[in-house]
Amino acid sequence: MAGKKYIYLFSEGRADMKQLLGGKGANLAEMTNIGLPVPPGITITCEACNEYIRLGRQFPEGLEEELKARLKDLEALNAKKLGDPKDPLLVSVRSGAPVSMPGMMDTILNLGLNDESVKGLAANTNDERFALDCYRRFIQMFGDVVLGIDHDKFEAILEKHKERLGVKFDNELTPAALQEVIAEYKDLVRKEVGRDFPQDPQEQLRMAVRAVFDSWDNPRAIVYRKINKIPDDLGTAVNIQTMVFGNMGPTSGTGVAFTRNPATGEKGIYGEYLINAQGEDVVAGIRTPKPIAELKKEMPDTYRQFEEICALLEKHYRDMQDIEFTIERGKLYILQTRVGKRTAAAAVKIAVDMVEEGLISQEEAILRVDPDQVVQLLHRRVDPEAKVQVIAKGLPASPGAASGKVVFDADEAERKGLDGEKVILVRNETTPDDIHGIVQAQGVLTARGGMTSHAAVVARGMGKPAVVGCGDLKIDVGGKRFFVGSLEVKEGDVISIDGATGNVMLGEVPLVEPQLSGEFQTLLQWADGVRRLKVRANADTPEDARRAREFGAEGIGLARTEHMFMGADRLPVVQQMILAKNKEEREAALAKLLPMQQGDFYEILKVMEGLPVTIRLLDPPLHEFLPSAEELLVEITRLEATGQNPEELEAKRDLLREVRAREEFNPMLGHRGCRLGVTYPEVYAMQARAIFRAVAQLKKEGINVLPEVEIPLVIHVNELRRLRQLVNEVADEVKKETGVDFDYKVGTMIELPRACATADEIAEEAEFFSFGTNDLTQTTFGFSRDDAEAKFLPQYLEEKILKENPFMVLDRQGVGKFMRMAVELGRKTRPELEVGICGEHGGEASSVEFCHLIGLNYVSCSPFRVPVARLAAAQAVIKEKKDKEASYSTE
Ligand code: PEP
Ligand code: MG
């Protein structure tokens, strides 16, 4: 489409143009317009990138001409020309997507240098070494990023010269040595790509822009988008910005700072810098930088100015900022600002503090914290009472504690992690190419790098424990070991790291359960004041019930009774019950189970005093409680071979016959749930009796309990009618036998499409509905979770046939439609019908939002996810309100 505007000067953009200009471009524009010292630049839009990809990697029509014209504007702003042999304009070329993807795409610095302009740079700065160093860095970056030449090949040349001269750092190389390095770099380029290093700056620029567009689809960016659920079609903008130099001697430097601590949320500038260094040196984690507090001593005026800018930016954006700056010969420049990534703990603290500082409202604070991220706050910590052997200490980059076997390589970490082994990835520093290993590791430990190094940023984003910049570690990568003093730790040895203190410990360490911090409690209380949905927990034991209450659960939405059948003292009795030859035998076994179940229910109901407890009667197919036919066959064959123990052999053969008789082709769609209740009513009767006897006992003790008896897997009202009557009869008997009167409800799980379609009929017999969206998802999709996730679902997600795993994020269009229908039909029959959800979706933010939107009364989830659901339920209310306001304003 000719005539389209693809390029904006920084002065033409605004912060709210992120979608078009990318996050970095939009913020550079905003900062330019509020008068901050930003080196001038231009931004090529994300739209141009998408067009480029759509056209099969061709610049869209008009882009090249526009680039030339906009470059002239940039040259005019700087009063310099790209490639001018006397006083060249140099630019950086960087990616910048609408969503921040730190370190995932490419950057090229010092563009515009060639054999001639490098002389001009040397003359103007009066520093030949500096100019040659810039040129050598440029060839190296361009060679790597644009021409695809392995970075290590350049490093090998550089190392060779450093060794030859006996120096340690790049900036100790003499101009003569740098000349040689450059000559060898150029030879390398010729050899690798069969052409000379491009000398025409316009060509350099075009090639760099292409490379940045292409980097949108490099493997690490693709992996990052997948992990962070960033759509693939956003594209990246390209920012072309005037270079300023942090490597112009001792009054120059570069750094990264957060306006608040990204790990804890503590207020105050937090960051690090390097004197005489260029941009990427800090983030790459190659040299461990100095804490920003030292800048205050080293350059007090610059520091003061920086402090003012930080305060201004925080106020302007009303959020914590992550700022990159450069000092060129004492003059401060701001190169980038963005909303800073932070741990969940920091997110909560910052949100609550900002409300108290009057910067944001409570509702904004609630929206600022990502519910999926707060699960991190429920990480276990190292037991403070435990005796641990601390062998080293690094920077506490990302909280949480983890133990695992040491591995030194990201591929190995990925392999072992996928095999179910717990590993800690130990590296000198990590790079974006290590991301697949970090994903599968329990935690990350690096010898170098600061709090803003790649490892630290990525680990915080993923909520993984990380300790970085642990200088005591001497890693011998080739020998697969590291040393701390004389202590040797080899690959496969177990270590633990504590990302909250920076401690590195030998062996596995004991952990303790998490607690909610004061700020988190405050935020959740605000959320409780906003939300309409109640939040319950799925809990089968008194301990789980207690934890759920601590985390704010307002009841139990699902107590699965089958787990109570599994203990070593129970299983033999349960097997007796199943294998009983007649009713008498079965009743004898049930009589033994009854007091055990009664004890279970007593404890749970007691812990949940005053709150509703939904107890589901037996659900899984009975063969789950019996040994498998394969196991039995192996034993029978063994007994046959030995010829001894004929009675045992006969018993096993009997058992095998029974097991075979119960075999089903598709047990999850077979004889389970309320079908068991219909065919073995005495099992359900026993469970109901155990519940009601526990209730009567508690009532006698003066404890208020609210039991809800739940029938699973109902497809027809007649099933429920029969089983409800059974439960009512047992209740009456218990009332009579104990002399205690009590209230209870009888309701049903809704977990099959037919139940949704006939919910009006089912509601005649049900006092409550609870959506079992695990089964409802399986039966709506027509595939079993285990088979799907192991076989084809990964490909479906990869190829975007499905956008999300429907077992994790509720499928609104399909499963959700059935749910909506069931709520409407159910409430038509019984307007006051209480409806909840107890499938795993009940603790996932987007599913919680959907449950709010279709008018459920509560969600129920695992105890650890209760805080997630409380927050998500409040966000659902606020978002709904905002959406309504937005639709009024557009009407
Ligand atoms: C469900 O199906 O969603 C449910 C909660 O039951 P279960 O997972 O025990 O089958
Ligand atoms: Mg179910």
Side-chain angles (χ1 to χ4, degrees):
M1 208 195 310
K4 190 161 203 137
K5 183 174 169 72
Y6 284 123
I7 307 182
Y8 288 70
L9 281 170
F10 287 174
S11 55
E12 293 175 313
R14 282 188 324 270
D16 62 6
M17 290 164 74
K18 278 202 173 70
Q19 220 50 33
L20 190 66
L21 302 178
K24 190 180 291 173
N27 283 332
L28 282 165
E30 186 81 5
M31 287 198 294
T32 302
N33 290 328
I34 58 176
L36 293 183
V38 176
I42 56 178
T43 304
I44 307 179
T45 61
C46 301
E47 207 178 349
C49 172
N50 287 331
E51 274 297 292
Y52 169 84
I53 293 171
R54 196 182 63 81
L55 295 169
R57 314 211 166 263
Q58 296 281 327
F59 275 176
E61 203 185 319
L63 181 61
E64 206 166 317
E65 292 67 43
E66 200 180 348
L67 184 58
K68 271 192 200 138
R70 275 352 204 22
L71 193 62
K72 284 223 161 62
D73 295 341
L74 188 60
E75 289 175 335
L77 281 170
N78 283 290
K80 285 183 182 196
K81 273 190 145 47
L82 199 69
D84 185 340
K86 291 216 170 58
D87 185 12
L89 169 68
L90 301 185
V91 294
S92 63
V93 180
R94 296 173 199 254
S95 61
V99 182
S100 154
M101 296 169 55
M104 290 301 137
M105 288 173 294
D106 290 328
T107 291
I108 298 141
L109 303 178
N110 306 329
L111 189 141
L113 283 174
N114 57 23
D115 293 348
E116 292 310 311
S117 64
V118 70
K119 292 178 198 154
L121 182 66
N124 275 316
T125 55
N126 215 357
D127 193 342
E128 190 190 6
R129 192 210 61 77
F130 161 76
L132 290 168
D133 188 44
C134 287
Y135 192 25
R136 136 5 245 163
R137 284 171 187 258
F138 172 49
I139 301 175
Q140 182 164 347
M141 269 196 177
F142 193 93
D144 170 15
V145 171
V146 182
L147 304 174
I149 303 168
D150 192 351
H151 176 80
D152 292 341
K153 294 190 173 153
F154 291 104
E155 281 297 309
I157 295 173
L158 192 64
E159 280 306 315
K160 187 180 76 188
H161 284 276
K162 285 202 299 204
E163 237 163 64
R164 182 172 62 82
L165 294 177
V167 300
K168 198 163 160 217
F169 294 111
D170 304 358
N171 57 15
E172 292 169 312
L173 287 175
T174 58
L178 284 166
Q179 293 277 21
E180 286 180 43
V181 172
I182 290 168
E184 286 187 36
Y185 274 13
K186 289 203 284 191
D187 287 344
L188 176 67
V189 169
R190 204 171 301 118
K191 199 170 106 234
E192 291 283 324
V193 291
R195 63 160 288 180
D196 283 331
F197 184 79
Q199 291 290 313
D200 172 10
Q202 299 280 351
E203 188 189 4
Q204 292 173 354
L205 187 59
R206 282 193 303 274
M207 290 172 79
V209 170
R210 260 176 207 286
V212 174
F213 282 162
D214 287 338
S215 71
W216 176 251
D217 281 330
N218 73 29
R220 59 177 196 262
I222 293 173
V223 172
Y224 187 89
R225 287 202 292 273
K226 196 161 359 103
I227 298 169
N228 292 286
K229 295 200 188 136
I230 299 171
D232 286 329
D233 57 2
L234 297 178
T236 180
V238 185
N239 296 293
I240 301 169
Q241 188 174 22
T242 309
M243 285 292 303
V244 287
F245 294 95
N247 53 345
M248 275 198 181
T251 56
S252 301
T254 183
V256 180
F258 294 87
T259 53
R260 301 187 190 218
N261 185 322
T264 63
E266 216 65 51
K267 199 170 174 181
I269 299 179
Y270 191 89
E272 37 208 21
Y273 71 105
L274 279 169
I275 286 293
N276 202 7
Q278 201 169 26
E280 303 304 290
D281 296 349
V282 182
V283 257
I286 292 164
R287 276 156 67 188
T288 296
K290 297 192 232 182
I292 197 109
E294 284 188 31
L295 186 66
K296 196 171 183 172
K297 290 184 230 140
E298 246 177 318
M299 300 185 190
D301 290 340
T302 312
Y303 184 79
R304 206 166 312 119
Q305 194 194 349
F306 184 61
E307 248 178 349
E308 281 167 17
I309 290 175
C310 284
L312 184 91
L313 282 174
E314 220 187 50
K315 226 171 154 171
H316 186 75
Y317 285 100
R318 302 162 68 245
D319 203 350
M320 186 263 261
Q321 298 292 299
D322 165 358
I323 302 165
E324 277 179 28
F325 63 95
T326 285
I327 304 162
E328 183 181 290
R329 292 188 166 151
K331 182 164 173 21
L332 176 67
Y333 290 96
I334 305 297
L335 297 189
Q336 154 152 223
T337 193
R338 57 186 170 196
V339 170
K341 292 219 176 292
R342 61 202 80 180
T343 60
V348 169
K349 179 161 174 53
I350 291 169
V352 173
D353 284 353
M354 284 191 165
V355 172
E356 273 148 25
E357 290 161 27
L359 270 177
I360 59 174
S361 68
Q362 282 187 10
E363 289 197 347
E364 278 173 297
I366 291 168
L367 290 178
R368 284 278 169 92
V369 179
D370 176 358
D372 289 330
Q373 210 194 5
V374 301
V375 185
Q376 284 177 32
L377 290 180
L378 304 166
H379 270 173
R380 298 190 168 96
R381 297 168 298 132
V382 176
D383 182 351
E385 304 291 319
K387 278 209 178 66
V388 296
Q389 191 188 350
V390 177
I391 55 169
K393 205 172 170 75
L395 299 171
S398 178
S403 302
K405 290 184 182 159
V406 169
V407 293
F408 293 96
D409 173 276
D411 293 340
E412 187 70 10
E414 184 185 41
R415 241 188 327 273
K416 293 221 158 96
L418 287 173
D419 278 351
E421 278 193 61
K422 293 193 162 143
V423 299
I424 305 280
L425 180 62
V426 181
R427 306 277 286 156
N428 274 318
E429 70 260 339
T430 67
T431 71
D433 291 329
D434 293 329
I435 188 151
H436 58 296
I438 301 176
V439 172
Q440 297 301 337
Q442 301 294 309
V444 188
L445 170 63
T446 71
R448 294 199 286 254
M451 294 288 283
T452 50
S453 64
H454 175 262
V457 171
V458 169
R460 276 199 294 274
M462 292 184 195
K464 288 226 166 179
V467 173
V468 303
C470 186
D472 295 340
L473 241 58
K474 299 286 168 280
I475 302 180
D476 168 14
V477 178
K480 298 195 169 181
R481 58 192 178 160
F482 71 76
F483 291 93
V484 182
S486 59
L487 176 79
E488 181 184 352
V489 177
K490 294 197 286 294
E491 185 176 64
D493 290 351
V494 174
I495 61 164
S496 301
I497 58 171
D498 182 346
T501 59
N503 284 342
V504 181
M505 295 149 286
L506 214 51
E508 196 164 338
V509 299
L511 305 177
V512 291
E513 294 301 323
Q515 282 167 336
L516 303 184
S517 74
E519 278 100 6
F520 194 22
Q521 304 258 27
T522 304
L523 187 78
L524 288 174
Q525 272 159 19
W526 292 342
D528 293 347
V530 172
R531 67 186 161 91
R532 186 185 51 69
L533 276 174
K534 294 255 182 216
V535 177
R536 297 194 194 180
N538 295 353
D540 319 329
T541 64
E543 297 81 66
D544 278 355
R546 212 166 284 126
R547 179 166 307 127
R549 255 198 124 133
E550 266 163 34
F551 289 160
E554 296 159 299
I556 287 182
L558 175 63
R560 292 178 165 104
T561 49
E562 56 268 21
H563 294 174
M564 301 166 181
F565 280 21
M566 289 294 188
D569 55 333
R570 315 265 172 108
L571 197 56
V573 189
V574 174
Q575 291 177 349
Q576 268 174 31
M577 170 192 86
I578 298 169
L579 299 171
K581 300 254 175 338
N582 50 46
K583 205 163 169 218
E584 287 71 47
E585 271 186 42
R586 176 160 303 117
E587 282 184 345
L590 287 170
K592 283 194 226 159
L593 278 175
L594 176 70
M596 299 182 194
Q597 283 257 283
Q598 188 178 333
D600 297 331
F601 298 141
Y602 175 88
E603 293 295 334
I604 292 182
L605 287 163
K606 189 168 170 177
V607 172
M608 298 307 289
E609 177 176 9
L611 297 174
V613 177
T614 308
I615 300 171
R616 180 176 78 187
L617 303 186
L618 197 64
D619 179 38
L622 292 183
H623 72 83
E624 285 198 8
F625 301 98
L626 297 177
S628 77
E630 287 82 17
E631 248 170 66
L632 284 169
L633 262 177
V634 170
E635 284 184 47
I636 289 169
T637 315
R638 186 181 56 79
L639 286 168
E640 281 171 350
T642 61
Q644 296 160 356
N645 236 335
E647 290 101 81
E648 193 184 343
L649 179 61
E650 211 33 57
K652 295 271 178 206
R653 282 185 176 144
D654 268 355
L655 187 54
L656 180 62
R657 255 190 306 278
E658 293 292 336
V659 167
R660 284 263 155 84
R662 283 171 179 75
E663 252 167 21
E664 291 177 285
F665 288 109
N666 207 333
M668 295 315 276
L669 296 178
H671 194 179
R672 60 171 286 217
C674 64
R675 260 67 78 199
L676 289 174
V678 171
T679 50
Y680 302 112
E682 53 283 10
V683 177
Y684 273 22
M686 179 279 288
Q687 290 198 296
R689 196 173 312 279
I691 295 170
F692 294 131
R693 284 192 179 166
V695 169
Q697 199 179 341
L698 286 159
K699 282 282 269 203
K700 268 196 198 151
E701 293 169 21
I703 295 173
N704 177 28
V705 292
L706 304 169
E708 300 184 342
V709 180
E710 181 173 60
I711 311 295
L713 233 65
V714 163
I715 42 139
H716 198 288
V717 62
N718 288 345
E719 291 171 320
L720 190 59
R721 182 167 297 128
R722 170 162 335 171
L723 295 170
R724 183 178 176 212
Q725 193 181 348
L726 174 81
V727 171
N728 285 341
E729 279 166 16
V730 174
D732 290 343
E733 281 167 29
V734 174
K735 282 180 187 172
K736 215 178 276 158
E737 108 202 354
T738 58
V740 181
D741 195 21
F742 48 80
D743 292 327
Y744 62 93
K745 285 185 184 166
V746 181
T748 179
M749 302 270 298
I750 298 285
E751 44 189 347
L752 293 166
R754 191 181 191 284
C756 297
T758 60
D760 47 351
E761 293 170 20
I762 291 178
E764 285 166 17
E765 296 294 332
E767 289 168 280
F768 63 87
F769 281 177
S770 176
F771 286 109
T773 45
N774 302 334
D775 274 308
L776 188 56
T777 302
Q778 303 201 81
T779 49
T780 300
F781 279 78
F783 48 63
S784 86
R785 176 172 192 168
D786 295 331
D787 291 334
E789 286 186 338
K791 304 242 161 50
F792 52 85
L793 201 52
Q795 192 181 341
Y796 265 52
L797 297 172
E798 182 92 10
E799 294 173 11
K800 308 225 158 37
I801 296 175
L802 292 177
K803 209 162 140 224
E804 306 271 10
N805 177 345
F807 294 105
M808 288 159 77
V809 178
L810 197 114
D811 160 48
R812 295 186 185 199
Q813 292 80 18
V815 177
K817 206 174 215 171
F818 279 123
M819 290 171 71
R820 206 187 275 275
M821 180 201 308
V823 174
E824 280 170 18
L825 290 177
R827 293 216 174 114
K828 211 154 85 188
T829 304
R830 200 188 276 263
E832 74 293 350
L833 184 74
E834 179 189 65
V835 188
I837 177 175
C838 62
E840 266 177 66
H841 305 91
E844 189 279 327
S846 137
S847 315
V848 171
E849 182 186 32
F850 182 73
C851 292
H852 166 83
L853 292 172
I854 62 169
L856 297 204
N857 299 85
Y858 69 85
V859 295
S860 187
C861 54
S862 88
F864 282 110
R865 296 201 76 95
V866 166
V868 176
R870 287 165 72 190
L871 190 59
Q875 290 188 348
V877 174
I878 301 168
K879 282 187 195 152
E880 188 184 27
K881 197 166 81 181
K882 279 192 165 176
D883 287 349
K884 271 202 189 118
E885 281 164 10
S887 72
Y888 288 141
S889 69
T890 54
E891 269 164 16

